[in-house]
Amino acid sequence: MAWPGSATAATNATFDITSLQAQALRHRLDQSSKWSALLHVSEGVPRIKDKQFILSLDHFSPREELLQTVAYLYGPQSAEAVCRFPARHAWLQAEAGLPALSIDHCTELQELMARAPADTLSLVFASENLSQPSSMMGHLFLKTSGKTADGRKVEHAISFFTDAGTANLPKLFYDSMVTGKKGYFALTPYQDDISTYVVEEQRTLWEYTLRLSPQDRTLLRYHLQELRHADITYFFQSYNCATLVKHVLAVAAPDMLDEADWWTTPKFVVRKAQEVNLIADLSVKTPSRWVVRSLQEPLPDTLRSAVQSAVQKRQIEALATLTEPGSTQGYMAMELARSYNTYLYEQHEITLDSWQSFDRQVKDIEQVRYPGLELQADQSKNPAQAPRDKQVSSGWQHRAGRDLLKLGLLPVSHTLADDNTQYNSENELRLFDAALLIDSRSGRVSLDHLAIYATQSMLPRDPLTGGLSGRLKIGFELQPDTALQERTAFLMEGALGATWRPSSDIDAFVLLGGGWGYRHRGYVYAKPTAGVLIREVYNMKSIITISQTSRPLGESGQALEWSLTQSKYLDAQNTLMLEAQRTRRLGQSANKLTVSLKHLF
């Protein structure tokens, strides 16, 4: 099967448009899932509201769009139309035998094909950055790799994003979820993305080479050209980077759209691409910080300290005598030195010349003392294997002599109590996490919590790269009054601190923070927290915390709270939860016990 563009393609011809429209309908192309993918249609609705992209936007249907597309491609504006919709034209020609049109005059398309050759196309996932709201679920984009006409190998990133450069979270959420924000479609050298994500932001890049035929690869490139000029509105929950990439991939693999997903996340698209057999190969670009952390874990503290000292003092002779030649431990120590040297350079603590000179000398030592040894990238935290990122839960709660039914929904993404082994450290991200309480006797319904935005990161400190832990949340939660009756208040809370990992399965943490609350009037409060998190055998996890809240609800006095959360992971999608809490205030105590079942989907 060949795509248009050959010298024999029709030019300046007059076509019977009605006949061509009937020909396309005979092949039922308006009912094709590939046609829906080309139009970025989901549940019968086009996600791109641009009349230049959806010709029938005022009275849209897949059938009407097909008729108008054929009329546009083979009408008086044919030369312009084929440059605007090269993918639609190529697909119509291949599926229904419609006449071929030349694309030789399509300057922008020819420039794209020449500038960004695509011998291979890859799906790239940039890992989460919880400190940036725009990147808290990661970022998904495409990468092209190939050789130009003069034989140069080039790589480019093709990405869809919006401008999220604001610290005003309420405004950012409103703009990106209600009114929509301007979406940008960019083609950039891939090395720039490596510098941004891996070096500056210390985020891992997961590169999934796609299994595509040459025809599908060309069709996808044509479609990307169609999107470059579309006026696309970015919606955080309904049309984001992952949504666009999902529809692009569906042009080659329509099964990408066979599962309803009311909030598409980057990890969902990666997982779906693997399920439909689109992924042929995987490679990982790991930031120096995480390489340093992983390499030092198995080394004795004395050896790790000696490597750190040798690198900081630039003592290559001392480094060369730390271990015996040929040993795996010795090779890992050398690699730790190289990675730590790179980390110091990327943190602007040493100069380029110093970094290059030291790295070259360590490589010389490796070649002499450790020939044949090399590091293998760790692919165990593959995002395609991560737990699903939506949750529903139901359970029983007993408090103050009452029995309550508790129902919860977390649209995105995961909690600290979940199985977070696919992440580099324990963390949570909750968007619009809500739970209701229903009194078993009266039937009264009340709000347990509504977390509009909540994130925690428990990054263990290490001697070489440091590491801070933190918490930030905005939403409605319960706080105890002086009689220990829980009342709902609006809270904006933050905290900073540190986490230590005394063993591979235990994290201990301390966070100092506080916030601003509102119930009838505004108030400020402090809330220090300390705790321990234990990853246990038999697929279990325990979290034990103690916290003290000053002036809860703006009233005098303090509230001291102890809590235990126990998770038992029944399988990849179901978790049994036990939560026990004891609160003490003004000499009085109250207990709360919750047992629930959580389902991930």
Side-chain angles (χ1 to χ4, degrees):
M1 183 187 298
W3 296 127
S6 64
T8 58
T11 57
N12 300 320
T14 301
F15 300 100
D16 183 345
I17 293 176
T18 302
S19 175
L20 294 178
Q21 290 173 326
Q23 186 174 335
L25 290 175
R26 280 197 301 272
H27 285 80
R28 299 182 178 180
L29 297 189
D30 58 316
Q31 302 174 33
S32 168
S33 53
K34 281 202 172 186
W35 182 240
S36 293
L38 284 167
L39 304 181
H40 290 232
V41 168
S42 178
E43 298 179 352
V45 178
R47 297 300 181 184
I48 299 178
K49 309 293 187 180
D50 177 12
K51 290 184 178 181
Q52 300 301 311
F53 185 79
I54 300 295
L55 304 176
S56 62
L57 186 61
D58 292 337
H59 306 284
F60 174 79
S61 71
R63 185 180 189 276
E64 182 62 25
E65 186 67 17
L66 179 65
L67 296 176
Q68 291 200 28
T69 297
V70 172
Y72 183 37
L73 285 170
Y74 296 98
Q77 296 177 294
S78 178
E80 170 192 296
V82 73
C83 296
R84 183 67 188 85
F85 295 118
R88 295 190 194 185
H89 165 247
W91 183 73
L92 290 170
Q93 181 197 348
E95 296 296 321
L98 269 60
L101 300 171
S102 175
I103 57 173
D104 292 343
H105 64 288
C106 300
T107 306
E108 281 195 355
L109 176 61
Q110 299 301 335
E111 180 185 349
L112 172 68
M113 303 293 277
R115 177 185 169 193
D119 299 331
T120 61
L121 266 173
S122 300
L123 180 66
V124 182
F125 173 76
S127 62
E128 299 89 345
N129 184 352
L130 296 180
S131 66
Q132 295 184 7
S134 61
S135 303
M136 57 191 168
M137 290 188 293
H139 181 53
L140 197 66
F141 58 98
L142 296 171
K143 183 188 83 168
T144 64
S145 303
K147 290 185 177 181
T148 60
D150 59 4
R152 290 183 300 111
K153 183 178 179 179
V154 294
E155 296 180 323
H156 287 85
I158 302 173
S159 183
F160 176 64
F161 60 95
T162 191
D163 178 15
T166 177
N168 188 338
L169 287 179
K171 184 178 189 308
L172 176 62
F173 277 122
Y174 181 82
D175 288 347
S176 61
M177 300 188 74
V178 180
T179 63
K181 291 177 66 67
K182 172 69 176 175
Y184 300 96
F185 199 73
L187 173 72
T188 57
Y190 185 54
Q191 185 58 48
D192 292 352
D193 291 77
I194 293 175
S195 297
T196 298
Y197 292 118
V198 180
V199 177
E200 294 177 20
E201 299 180 3
Q202 293 289 303
R203 296 164 65 183
T204 302
L205 289 181
W206 297 83
E207 302 175 0
Y208 301 89
T209 303
L210 297 173
R211 183 179 288 108
L212 298 169
S213 67
Q215 292 80 15
D216 281 336
R217 205 160 55 238
T218 300
L219 188 63
L220 260 62
R221 297 173 73 195
Y222 285 174
H223 183 53
L224 291 170
Q225 172 62 21
E226 294 177 348
L227 293 171
R228 288 179 72 186
H229 293 289
D231 185 6
I232 307 176
T233 301
Y234 182 104
F235 283 94
F236 182 56
Q237 78 284 15
S238 62
Y239 201 87
N240 51 45
C241 65
T243 320
L244 182 139
V245 170
K246 180 178 70 171
H247 280 84
V248 170
L249 296 182
V251 172
D255 287 348
M256 288 292 299
L257 299 178
D258 68 1
E259 184 178 343
D261 186 58
W262 41 274
W263 192 321
T264 300
T265 64
K267 284 186 175 178
F268 171 85
V269 177
V270 172
R271 184 169 57 247
K272 191 65 180 178
Q274 180 166 277
E275 288 177 4
V276 302
N277 201 33
L278 258 182
I279 295 175
D281 198 10
L282 168 63
S283 62
V284 185
K285 286 183 169 53
T286 307
S288 58
R289 164 182 257 188
W290 296 111
V291 177
V292 168
R293 285 175 170 267
S294 63
L295 286 173
Q296 66 177 300
E297 283 184 6
L299 298 180
D301 288 345
T302 52
L303 180 55
R304 186 263 304 152
S305 297
V307 170
Q308 180 181 11
S309 176
V311 174
Q312 290 177 340
K313 296 177 181 178
R314 323 310 281 169
Q315 294 175 337
I316 194 68
E317 298 82 4
L319 191 64
T321 59
L322 287 178
T323 59
E324 293 296 321
S327 69
T328 301
Q329 187 181 84
Y331 177 71
M332 292 182 66
M334 294 303 106
E335 283 296 307
L336 174 59
R338 291 188 63 195
S339 299
Y340 185 46
N341 181 51
T342 299
Y343 177 76
L344 293 177
Y345 168 67
E346 291 174 350
Q347 298 302 306
H348 309 293
E349 294 185 25
I350 59 175
T351 65
L352 174 62
D353 289 341
S354 178
W355 167 59
Q356 291 177 331
S357 174
F358 196 83
D359 185 71
R360 185 167 53 250
Q361 293 177 77
V362 178
K363 286 174 66 176
D364 291 341
I365 294 174
E366 287 184 341
Q367 291 173 0
V368 173
R369 297 170 64 91
Y370 308 99
L373 295 179
E374 62 179 0
L375 286 180
Q376 298 294 326
D378 180 10
Q379 299 184 358
S380 62
K381 300 184 185 300
N382 185 349
Q385 309 300 329
R388 295 176 180 267
D389 45 19
K390 301 173 182 62
Q391 304 180 7
V392 291
S393 63
S394 63
W396 164 84
Q397 183 177 107
H398 181 79
R399 70 174 183 187
R402 294 186 299 156
D403 291 320
L404 306 165
L405 174 65
K406 184 176 180 180
L407 301 176
L409 171 65
L410 173 56
V412 178
S413 150
H414 63 283
T415 73
L416 202 63
D418 290 331
D419 181 2
N420 293 322
T421 53
Q422 289 294 324
Y423 296 94
N424 288 316
S425 63
E426 294 286 350
N427 65 83
E428 80 170 20
L429 171 65
R430 296 183 292 131
L431 297 179
F432 303 99
D433 175 26
L436 298 176
L437 298 172
I438 304 174
D439 192 297
S440 61
R441 293 182 179 178
S442 66
R444 179 175 176 269
V445 179
S446 59
L447 180 68
D448 181 79
H449 68 266
L450 170 59
I452 300 171
Y453 171 75
T455 181
Q456 288 192 75
S457 176
M458 301 302 184
L459 178 63
R461 289 189 61 81
D462 78 78
L464 277 69
T465 65
L468 285 174
S469 297
R471 177 180 70 228
L472 177 65
K473 61 182 178 182
I474 301 173
F476 297 87
E477 286 191 2
L478 299 175
Q479 286 190 334
D481 63 15
T482 54
L484 285 181
Q485 296 296 311
E486 293 187 313
R487 310 296 183 186
T488 301
F490 175 74
L491 306 176
M492 293 192 297
E493 182 180 305
L496 282 176
T499 299
W500 297 268
R501 181 165 289 177
S503 73
S504 59
D505 295 323
I506 299 176
D507 290 347
F509 57 89
V510 173
L511 298 174
L512 302 177
W516 178 85
Y518 185 87
R519 180 178 171 85
H520 305 311
R521 59 189 175 87
Y523 61 96
V524 295
Y525 63 94
K527 189 175 182 179
T529 303
V532 60
L533 185 152
I534 308 169
R535 292 169 289 276
E536 301 155 337
V537 295
Y538 305 117
N539 295 317
M540 296 194 298
K541 177 192 285 186
S542 296
I543 304 174
I544 303 169
T545 64
I546 179 171
S547 62
Q548 180 173 285
T549 305
S550 68
R551 303 183 68 249
L553 300 174
E555 300 172 345
S556 62
Q558 300 176 343
L560 189 64
E561 179 185 296
W562 297 266
S563 69
L564 164 67
T565 301
Q566 181 71 51
S567 305
K568 166 61 178 175
Y569 310 120
L570 303 176
D571 54 39
Q573 291 183 255
N574 296 285
T575 302
L576 183 63
M577 302 286 299
L578 171 67
E579 300 169 85
Q581 180 180 311
R582 181 176 179 84
T583 303
R584 184 170 180 81
R585 185 174 186 193
L586 300 177
Q588 303 179 78
S589 298
N591 300 321
K592 184 192 305 183
L593 179 65
T594 307
V595 179
S596 59
L597 182 65
K598 179 191 298 185
H599 177 69
L600 281 63
F601 65 99

